[in-house]
Amino acid sequence: QVQLVESGGGLVQPGGSLRLSCAASGSIFSITAMGWYRQAPGKQRELVATITKDGITNYADSVKGRFTISRDNAKNTVSLQMNSLKPEDTAVYYCNVHTLYGSTWWGQGTQVTVSS
């Protein structure tokens, strides 16, 4: 099993920045890809960004150029730097990891609200 603990959500004005972090524990040796998803009220959960163990990244078109995902394999953490935030970025953000056994684990979610 893998346990994920997220931090860093909050309220920010449009154009502002936030940094989300996620710390993994448990069967961390099995983790391959790590990433962030989000779910806005009334909408399906969607991919925000992912990063492989080798550092290959993938972003949703809506966040390209504004968000940056990074990973520290030694500390078993994944972070999401969010700049130029927009009201439409408001959502609950979930940390996600895949393991070499084919399983997927989710964090509890952290609220990000972009509003003036």
Side-chain angles (χ1 to χ4, degrees):
Q1 291 190 345
V2 176
Q3 293 79 42
L4 302 171
V5 178
E6 301 133 334
S7 61
L11 172 65
V12 65
Q13 292 187 341
S17 298
L18 277 176
R19 184 176 181 87
L20 305 182
S21 294
C22 174
S25 60
S27 300
I28 55 177
F29 68 92
S30 66
I31 293 175
T32 55
M34 305 180 81
W36 292 92
Y37 287 69
R38 68 186 180 187
Q39 187 166 19
K43 295 188 176 182
Q44 290 188 331
R45 191 172 297 188
E46 63 176 4
L47 178 146
V48 177
T50 60
I51 184 167
T52 69
K53 207 164 188 176
D54 296 328
I56 298 171
T57 58
N58 179 52
Y59 295 92
D61 288 343
S62 59
V63 307
K64 281 180 181 177
R66 299 188 298 122
F67 291 11
T68 302
I69 190 170
S70 60
R71 174 174 179 167
D72 187 329
N73 290 327
K75 296 182 179 180
N76 305 304
T77 59
V78 60
S79 298
L80 185 69
Q81 178 65 42
M82 305 185 293
N83 298 328
S84 302
L85 283 160
K86 305 175 181 180
E88 51 264 44
D89 294 318
T90 295
V92 178
Y93 284 70
Y94 296 91
C95 179
N96 166 277
V97 301
H98 293 281
T99 74
L100 54 85
Y101 302 117
S103 57
T104 299
W105 300 91
W106 295 91
Q108 80 282 2
T110 185
Q111 177 70 46
V112 171
T113 302
V114 185
S115 175
S116 54

